[in-house]
PDB file of all heavy atoms in Angstrom:
ATOM      1  N   ASP R 240     -14.144   7.701  10.635  1.00 95.00           N
ATOM      2  CA  ASP R 240     -15.396   8.120  11.253  1.00 95.00           C
ATOM      3  C   ASP R 240     -15.578   9.632  11.140  1.00 95.00           C
ATOM      4  O   ASP R 240     -14.685  10.412  11.467  1.00 95.00           O
ATOM      5  CB  ASP R 240     -15.379   7.696  12.722  1.00 95.00           C
ATOM      6  CG  ASP R 240     -16.596   8.181  13.458  1.00 95.00           C
ATOM      7  OD1 ASP R 240     -17.667   7.593  13.260  1.00 95.00           O
ATOM      8  OD2 ASP R 240     -16.489   9.162  14.219  1.00 95.00           O
ATOM      9  N   GLU R 241     -16.747  10.028  10.698  1.00 94.00           N
ATOM     10  CA  GLU R 241     -16.991  11.452  10.456  1.00 94.00           C
ATOM     11  C   GLU R 241     -16.958  12.270  11.749  1.00 94.00           C
ATOM     12  O   GLU R 241     -16.645  13.453  11.716  1.00 94.00           O
ATOM     13  CB  GLU R 241     -18.342  11.638   9.754  1.00 94.00           C
ATOM     14  CG  GLU R 241     -18.305  11.251   8.290  1.00 94.00           C
ATOM     15  CD  GLU R 241     -19.606  11.589   7.567  1.00 94.00           C
ATOM     16  OE1 GLU R 241     -20.578  11.966   8.237  1.00 94.00           O
ATOM     17  OE2 GLU R 241     -19.629  11.464   6.320  1.00 94.00           O
ATOM     18  N   GLY R 242     -17.309  11.632  12.836  1.00 94.00           N
ATOM     19  CA  GLY R 242     -17.266  12.351  14.108  1.00 94.00           C
ATOM     20  C   GLY R 242     -15.865  12.788  14.470  1.00 94.00           C
ATOM     21  O   GLY R 242     -15.634  13.914  14.913  1.00 94.00           O
ATOM     22  N   LEU R 243     -14.914  11.883  14.259  1.00 95.00           N
ATOM     23  CA  LEU R 243     -13.508  12.212  14.516  1.00 95.00           C
ATOM     24  C   LEU R 243     -13.055  13.335  13.590  1.00 95.00           C
ATOM     25  O   LEU R 243     -12.395  14.289  14.006  1.00 95.00           O
ATOM     26  CB  LEU R 243     -12.616  10.985  14.297  1.00 95.00           C
ATOM     27  CG  LEU R 243     -12.758   9.824  15.282  1.00 95.00           C
ATOM     28  CD1 LEU R 243     -11.903   8.649  14.834  1.00 95.00           C
ATOM     29  CD2 LEU R 243     -12.367  10.263  16.680  1.00 95.00           C
ATOM     30  N   VAL R 244     -13.391  13.182  12.329  1.00 96.00           N
ATOM     31  CA  VAL R 244     -12.954  14.155  11.328  1.00 96.00           C
ATOM     32  C   VAL R 244     -13.554  15.524  11.595  1.00 96.00           C
ATOM     33  O   VAL R 244     -12.870  16.545  11.533  1.00 96.00           O
ATOM     34  CB  VAL R 244     -13.346  13.649   9.925  1.00 96.00           C
ATOM     35  CG1 VAL R 244     -13.148  14.742   8.888  1.00 96.00           C
ATOM     36  CG2 VAL R 244     -12.545  12.406   9.563  1.00 96.00           C
ATOM     37  N   ASP R 245     -14.834  15.531  11.920  1.00 95.00           N
ATOM     38  CA  ASP R 245     -15.513  16.810  12.113  1.00 95.00           C
ATOM     39  C   ASP R 245     -14.971  17.540  13.328  1.00 95.00           C
ATOM     40  O   ASP R 245     -14.882  18.764  13.332  1.00 95.00           O
ATOM     41  CB  ASP R 245     -17.018  16.579  12.268  1.00 95.00           C
ATOM     42  CG  ASP R 245     -17.797  17.878  12.145  1.00 95.00           C
ATOM     43  OD1 ASP R 245     -17.842  18.425  11.023  1.00 95.00           O
ATOM     44  OD2 ASP R 245     -18.357  18.350  13.144  1.00 95.00           O
ATOM     45  N   ALA R 246     -14.605  16.781  14.347  1.00 94.00           N
ATOM     46  CA  ALA R 246     -14.070  17.413  15.562  1.00 94.00           C
ATOM     47  C   ALA R 246     -12.786  18.165  15.258  1.00 94.00           C
ATOM     48  O   ALA R 246     -12.488  19.207  15.853  1.00 94.00           O
ATOM     49  CB  ALA R 246     -13.825  16.356  16.630  1.00 94.00           C
ATOM     50  N   ALA R 247     -12.015  17.648  14.330  1.00 95.00           N
ATOM     51  CA  ALA R 247     -10.758  18.311  13.974  1.00 95.00           C
ATOM     52  C   ALA R 247     -10.989  19.561  13.138  1.00 95.00           C
ATOM     53  O   ALA R 247     -10.068  20.371  12.966  1.00 95.00           O
ATOM     54  CB  ALA R 247      -9.850  17.333  13.207  1.00 95.00           C
ATOM     55  N   ALA R 248     -12.203  19.703  12.622  1.00 94.00           N
ATOM     56  CA  ALA R 248     -12.502  20.900  11.835  1.00 94.00           C
ATOM     57  C   ALA R 248     -12.858  22.077  12.723  1.00 94.00           C
ATOM     58  O   ALA R 248     -12.804  23.225  12.295  1.00 94.00           O
ATOM     59  CB  ALA R 248     -13.656  20.624  10.870  1.00 94.00           C
ATOM     60  N   ALA R 249     -13.242  21.765  13.960  1.00 90.00           N
ATOM     61  CA  ALA R 249     -13.638  22.840  14.872  1.00 90.00           C
ATOM     62  C   ALA R 249     -12.419  23.661  15.251  1.00 90.00           C
ATOM     63  O   ALA R 249     -11.301  23.148  15.311  1.00 90.00           O
ATOM     64  CB  ALA R 249     -14.288  22.243  16.115  1.00 90.00           C
ATOM     65  N   GLU R 250     -12.647  24.928  15.522  1.00 84.00           N
ATOM     66  CA  GLU R 250     -11.559  25.785  15.956  1.00 84.00           C
ATOM     67  C   GLU R 250     -11.015  25.272  17.280  1.00 84.00           C
ATOM     68  O   GLU R 250     -11.777  24.951  18.180  1.00 84.00           O
ATOM     69  CB  GLU R 250     -12.044  27.228  16.117  1.00 84.00           C
ATOM     70  CG  GLU R 250     -12.202  27.970  14.810  1.00 84.00           C
ATOM     71  CD  GLU R 250     -10.891  28.058  14.051  1.00 84.00           C
ATOM     72  OE1 GLU R 250      -9.877  28.435  14.661  1.00 84.00           O
ATOM     73  OE2 GLU R 250     -10.888  27.721  12.849  1.00 84.00           O
ATOM     74  N   PRO R 251      -9.694  25.192  17.417  1.00 79.00           N
ATOM     75  CA  PRO R 251      -9.148  24.683  18.665  1.00 79.00           C
ATOM     76  C   PRO R 251      -9.455  25.626  19.804  1.00 79.00           C
ATOM     77  O   PRO R 251      -9.559  26.841  19.606  1.00 79.00           O
ATOM     78  CB  PRO R 251      -7.644  24.592  18.395  1.00 79.00           C
ATOM     79  CG  PRO R 251      -7.398  25.500  17.250  1.00 79.00           C
ATOM     80  CD  PRO R 251      -8.651  25.552  16.451  1.00 79.00           C
TER      81      PRO R 251
ATOM     82  N   LEU S 301     -23.488  14.800   9.911  1.00 95.00           N
ATOM     83  CA  LEU S 301     -22.429  15.806  10.035  1.00 95.00           C
ATOM     84  C   LEU S 301     -22.142  16.314   8.628  1.00 95.00           C
ATOM     85  O   LEU S 301     -21.315  15.760   7.906  1.00 95.00           O
ATOM     86  CB  LEU S 301     -21.180  15.208  10.678  1.00 95.00           C
ATOM     87  CG  LEU S 301     -21.335  14.785  12.140  1.00 95.00           C
ATOM     88  CD1 LEU S 301     -20.130  13.979  12.589  1.00 95.00           C
ATOM     89  CD2 LEU S 301     -21.519  16.008  13.039  1.00 95.00           C
ATOM     90  N   ARG S 303     -20.695  18.914   7.414  1.00 96.00           N
ATOM     91  CA  ARG S 303     -19.350  19.413   7.136  1.00 96.00           C
ATOM     92  C   ARG S 303     -18.401  18.272   6.784  1.00 96.00           C
ATOM     93  O   ARG S 303     -17.657  18.345   5.801  1.00 96.00           O
ATOM     94  CB  ARG S 303     -18.831  20.194   8.336  1.00 96.00           C
ATOM     95  CG  ARG S 303     -17.408  20.726   8.189  1.00 96.00           C
ATOM     96  CD  ARG S 303     -17.029  21.679   9.304  1.00 96.00           C
ATOM     97  NE  ARG S 303     -17.183  21.112  10.623  1.00 96.00           N
ATOM     98  CZ  ARG S 303     -16.988  21.796  11.748  1.00 96.00           C
ATOM     99  NH1 ARG S 303     -16.646  23.070  11.698  1.00 96.00           N
ATOM    100  NH2 ARG S 303     -17.143  21.221  12.926  1.00 96.00           N
ATOM    101  N   ALA S 304     -18.427  17.224   7.592  1.00 96.00           N
ATOM    102  CA  ALA S 304     -17.546  16.089   7.339  1.00 96.00           C
ATOM    103  C   ALA S 304     -17.967  15.358   6.062  1.00 96.00           C
ATOM    104  O   ALA S 304     -17.120  14.876   5.302  1.00 96.00           O
ATOM    105  CB  ALA S 304     -17.558  15.132   8.526  1.00 96.00           C
ATOM    106  N   GLU S 370      -7.026  14.803  22.681  1.00 88.00           N
ATOM    107  CA  GLU S 370      -7.781  15.516  21.650  1.00 88.00           C
ATOM    108  C   GLU S 370      -6.838  16.264  20.718  1.00 88.00           C
ATOM    109  O   GLU S 370      -7.004  16.240  19.492  1.00 88.00           O
ATOM    110  CB  GLU S 370      -8.749  16.492  22.324  1.00 88.00           C
ATOM    111  CG  GLU S 370      -9.594  17.295  21.336  1.00 88.00           C
ATOM    112  CD  GLU S 370     -10.516  18.279  22.044  1.00 88.00           C
ATOM    113  OE1 GLU S 370     -10.456  18.360  23.288  1.00 88.00           O
ATOM    114  OE2 GLU S 370     -11.283  18.953  21.359  1.00 88.00           O
ATOM    115  N   ARG S 373      -4.830  13.894  18.480  1.00 93.00           N
ATOM    116  CA  ARG S 373      -5.712  13.332  17.456  1.00 93.00           C
ATOM    117  C   ARG S 373      -6.013  14.364  16.380  1.00 93.00           C
ATOM    118  O   ARG S 373      -5.953  14.074  15.187  1.00 93.00           O
ATOM    119  CB  ARG S 373      -6.998  12.850  18.121  1.00 93.00           C
ATOM    120  CG  ARG S 373      -8.051  12.315  17.156  1.00 93.00           C
ATOM    121  CD  ARG S 373      -9.199  11.668  17.892  1.00 93.00           C
ATOM    122  NE  ARG S 373      -9.868  12.565  18.800  1.00 93.00           N
ATOM    123  CZ  ARG S 373      -9.863  12.434  20.131  1.00 93.00           C
ATOM    124  NH1 ARG S 373      -9.206  11.444  20.705  1.00 93.00           N
ATOM    125  NH2 ARG S 373     -10.524  13.282  20.890  1.00 93.00           N
ATOM    126  N   ASN S 374      -6.347  15.553  16.798  1.00 94.00           N
ATOM    127  CA  ASN S 374      -6.733  16.571  15.821  1.00 94.00           C
ATOM    128  C   ASN S 374      -5.554  17.005  14.952  1.00 94.00           C
ATOM    129  O   ASN S 374      -5.721  17.275  13.760  1.00 94.00           O
ATOM    130  CB  ASN S 374      -7.357  17.772  16.534  1.00 94.00           C
ATOM    131  CG  ASN S 374      -8.727  17.459  17.092  1.00 94.00           C
ATOM    132  OD1 ASN S 374      -9.324  16.443  16.743  1.00 94.00           O
ATOM    133  ND2 ASN S 374      -9.221  18.318  17.969  1.00 94.00           N
ATOM    134  N   LEU S 377      -5.175  14.395  12.342  1.00 97.00           N
ATOM    135  CA  LEU S 377      -6.209  14.501  11.317  1.00 97.00           C
ATOM    136  C   LEU S 377      -6.028  15.747  10.451  1.00 97.00           C
ATOM    137  O   LEU S 377      -6.270  15.708   9.247  1.00 97.00           O
ATOM    138  CB  LEU S 377      -7.588  14.499  11.972  1.00 97.00           C
ATOM    139  CG  LEU S 377      -7.999  13.154  12.573  1.00 97.00           C
ATOM    140  CD1 LEU S 377      -9.248  13.317  13.428  1.00 97.00           C
ATOM    141  CD2 LEU S 377      -8.239  12.121  11.481  1.00 97.00           C
ATOM    142  N   ARG S 378      -5.574  16.828  11.045  1.00 96.00           N
ATOM    143  CA  ARG S 378      -5.357  18.029  10.233  1.00 96.00           C
ATOM    144  C   ARG S 378      -4.296  17.750   9.167  1.00 96.00           C
ATOM    145  O   ARG S 378      -4.362  18.268   8.061  1.00 96.00           O
ATOM    146  CB  ARG S 378      -4.908  19.216  11.098  1.00 96.00           C
ATOM    147  CG  ARG S 378      -5.931  19.807  12.047  1.00 96.00           C
ATOM    148  CD  ARG S 378      -7.245  20.223  11.434  1.00 96.00           C
ATOM    149  NE  ARG S 378      -7.167  21.072  10.268  1.00 96.00           N
ATOM    150  CZ  ARG S 378      -8.221  21.633   9.672  1.00 96.00           C
ATOM    151  NH1 ARG S 378      -9.432  21.437  10.175  1.00 96.00           N
ATOM    152  NH2 ARG S 378      -8.068  22.387   8.610  1.00 96.00           N
ATOM    153  N   TYR S 382      -7.065  16.443   6.462  1.00 96.00           N
ATOM    154  CA  TYR S 382      -7.261  17.748   5.828  1.00 96.00           C
ATOM    155  C   TYR S 382      -6.059  18.197   5.008  1.00 96.00           C
ATOM    156  O   TYR S 382      -6.123  19.208   4.331  1.00 96.00           O
ATOM    157  CB  TYR S 382      -7.577  18.796   6.893  1.00 96.00           C
ATOM    158  CG  TYR S 382      -8.920  18.587   7.542  1.00 96.00           C
ATOM    159  CD1 TYR S 382      -9.049  17.836   8.696  1.00 96.00           C
ATOM    160  CD2 TYR S 382     -10.070  19.131   6.974  1.00 96.00           C
ATOM    161  CE1 TYR S 382     -10.287  17.633   9.281  1.00 96.00           C
ATOM    162  CE2 TYR S 382     -11.315  18.937   7.549  1.00 96.00           C
ATOM    163  CZ  TYR S 382     -11.412  18.187   8.701  1.00 96.00           C
ATOM    164  OH  TYR S 382     -12.637  17.984   9.277  1.00 96.00           O
ATOM    165  N   ARG S 392      -2.437  27.168  13.696  1.00 92.00           N
ATOM    166  CA  ARG S 392      -3.780  26.866  14.200  1.00 92.00           C
ATOM    167  C   ARG S 392      -3.754  26.566  15.694  1.00 92.00           C
ATOM    168  O   ARG S 392      -4.645  26.971  16.432  1.00 92.00           O
ATOM    169  CB  ARG S 392      -4.336  25.669  13.427  1.00 92.00           C
ATOM    170  CG  ARG S 392      -5.761  25.267  13.769  1.00 92.00           C
ATOM    171  CD  ARG S 392      -6.171  24.043  12.940  1.00 92.00           C
ATOM    172  NE  ARG S 392      -7.546  23.664  13.194  1.00 92.00           N
ATOM    173  CZ  ARG S 392      -8.589  24.163  12.533  1.00 92.00           C
ATOM    174  NH1 ARG S 392      -8.397  25.043  11.582  1.00 92.00           N
ATOM    175  NH2 ARG S 392      -9.819  23.775  12.826  1.00 92.00           N
ATOM    176  N   TYR S 393      -2.713  25.860  16.130  1.00 88.00           N
ATOM    177  CA  TYR S 393      -2.670  25.424  17.521  1.00 88.00           C
ATOM    178  C   TYR S 393      -1.680  26.226  18.365  1.00 88.00           C
ATOM    179  O   TYR S 393      -1.445  25.889  19.526  1.00 88.00           O
ATOM    180  CB  TYR S 393      -2.353  23.927  17.587  1.00 88.00           C
ATOM    181  CG  TYR S 393      -3.476  23.081  17.058  1.00 88.00           C
ATOM    182  CD1 TYR S 393      -3.457  22.608  15.753  1.00 88.00           C
ATOM    183  CD2 TYR S 393      -4.573  22.781  17.858  1.00 88.00           C
ATOM    184  CE1 TYR S 393      -4.502  21.850  15.251  1.00 88.00           C
ATOM    185  CE2 TYR S 393      -5.620  22.025  17.363  1.00 88.00           C
ATOM    186  CZ  TYR S 393      -5.580  21.559  16.062  1.00 88.00           C
ATOM    187  OH  TYR S 393      -6.626  20.822  15.576  1.00 88.00           O
TER     188      TYR S 393
END
Side-chain angles (χ1 to χ4, degrees):
Chain R
D240 176 75
E241 285 187 351
L243 292 174
V244 169
D245 193 69
E250 283 300 311
Chain S
L301 293 170
R303 178 171 56 184
E370 180 182 2
R373 176 171 59 247
N374 289 346
L377 290 169
R378 291 306 309 186
Y382 292 92
R392 183 181 183 88
Y393 292 97

